[in-house]
Amino acid sequence: FIVFIKSSPSFFISNSSFFLNLFFNWLFLSLLICIALIDIDSFWIPQSLINFGFVSGILGLMLIGLFDNQSIDFYLILKGLSTSLSAFFIFESLRYFAKCFFKKDAIGMGDSKLVAMISLWVGPLGTLFAVGISYIFAAIYCLVGFSINLVKSGQVIPFAPFLSLGGLFVWFFGNDFIFEKILRI
């Protein structure tokens, strides 16, 4: 139902057909739910799901151009790929500095790949929102978890569920809605 009533357009879907929008909404939702559940269970994100997310994301960007402009929009594809690559390197840098600071892995390599994949779907601004929102969700989870003894000090917590939740939040509400709400604050 949530996928059916998606409110506002994001970076990825524009004026394309209703069924194409619905298909990619379901695809993105299903992909992120699978990744989140696997990471919760095994602290691992399968590379095959990340690859599928990239391929379907690029395919979606191509189809947007075909439906909207009657040709493939190479600028949109280039923008998506450059955003994805930038997000990966920024998150990998964050992972490296966190490892130097904490003297152990604080963020997994799969999380960097997941951020890169999500950025292909939500765009540059959406990536900033998705990552920011995911850290807020993770902080709330940790605070509540510490207060009810669900989370213990030093416990490893999978981050992909929070990244997935942030990506879905941005996907569902759209960049414009979130930006509007931030400006009101």
Side-chain angles (χ1 to χ4, degrees):
F1 180 70
I2 290 173
V3 173
F4 187 72
I5 62 165
K6 181 181 169 314
S7 64
S8 56
S10 61
F11 167 75
F12 193 81
I13 301 296
S14 57
N15 298 324
S16 305
S17 78
F18 172 77
F19 292 109
L20 184 64
N21 283 330
L22 190 61
F23 172 76
F24 279 103
N25 289 342
W26 273 111
L27 186 69
F28 191 57
L29 175 70
S30 302
L31 190 61
L32 290 182
I33 287 173
C34 289
I35 288 171
L37 292 175
I38 291 170
D39 195 37
I40 288 169
D41 183 54
S42 62
F43 295 97
W44 173 69
I45 301 172
Q47 185 63 44
S48 58
L49 289 178
I50 298 292
N51 292 345
F52 180 73
F54 274 111
V55 169
S56 56
I58 292 170
L59 178 65
L61 291 174
M62 288 180 185
L63 290 175
I64 287 172
L66 287 175
F67 275 90
D68 291 348
N69 306 330
Q70 305 304 320
S71 67
I72 295 176
D73 188 352
F74 289 105
Y75 173 74
L76 187 62
I77 295 169
L78 184 62
K79 183 178 178 182
L81 291 174
S82 63
T83 300
S84 181
L85 193 60
S86 299
F88 176 78
F89 283 121
I90 290 169
F91 221 75
E92 273 299 292
S93 299
L94 180 63
R95 188 172 89 87
Y96 173 77
F97 289 123
K99 186 174 183 170
C100 290
F101 183 76
F102 293 113
K103 307 292 188 238
K104 62 181 180 176
D105 283 332
I107 301 170
M109 176 79 154
D111 296 328
S112 299
K113 294 175 184 178
L114 179 58
V115 168
M117 192 263 307
I118 289 172
S119 69
L120 187 63
W121 288 77
V122 298
L125 187 59
T127 302
L128 292 173
F129 291 149
V131 170
I133 290 167
S134 66
Y135 274 104
I136 292 169
F137 287 144
I140 291 169
Y141 172 79
C142 288
L143 288 173
V144 171
F146 279 131
S147 68
I148 62 172
N149 292 327
L150 182 67
V151 177
K152 309 216 179 340
S153 181
Q155 178 180 345
V156 177
I157 298 169
F159 193 51
F162 302 109
L163 287 171
S164 296
L165 196 56
L168 288 174
F169 189 87
V170 170
W171 181 262
F172 181 75
F173 288 107
N175 296 338
D176 295 337
F177 174 81
I178 296 170
F179 192 65
E180 210 176 89
K181 295 302 177 192
I182 290 173
L183 287 179
R184 287 188 185 171
I185 295 176

